[in-house]
Amino acid sequence: RKVVWYDAAGKETVIAEGIAGNDLAVDRRGNVFVTDMTGRKVWLIPPGDEPRVAAEGFRPNGVTIALD
């Protein structure tokens, strides 16, 4: 129930806790989007900021980033 980030040297940093993540995608700005099927939410974790709900009310299963 945590989301971690690994740097190029393999150092682990916890960027969110309490999220039952299933899938994730990272955009070019470093924003991390995580699906939480149990909680029925999609989380946004901006670099250096607190996680926040990006969408909710459905069972997200998969996430992708569109170029537009």
Side-chain angles (χ1 to χ4, degrees):
R1 295 194 39 95
K2 64 182 176 178
V3 180
V4 298
W5 182 274
Y6 294 94
D7 67 15
K11 180 182 176 242
E12 178 183 299
T13 302
V14 176
I15 60 172
E17 293 188 84
I19 297 174
N22 186 53
D23 306 292
L24 65 81
V26 181
D27 70 13
R28 68 177 93 189
R29 294 181 181 156
N31 292 304
V32 179
F33 295 87
V34 181
T35 62
D36 177 355
M37 290 178 61
T38 305
R40 303 175 65 92
K41 298 175 184 171
V42 176
W43 291 88
L44 165 61
I45 309 168
D49 204 351
E50 295 295 316
R52 61 180 181 259
V53 176
E56 62 185 325
F58 61 100
R59 288 195 61 186
N61 187 14
V63 61
T64 188
I65 306 284
L67 295 177
D68 60 350

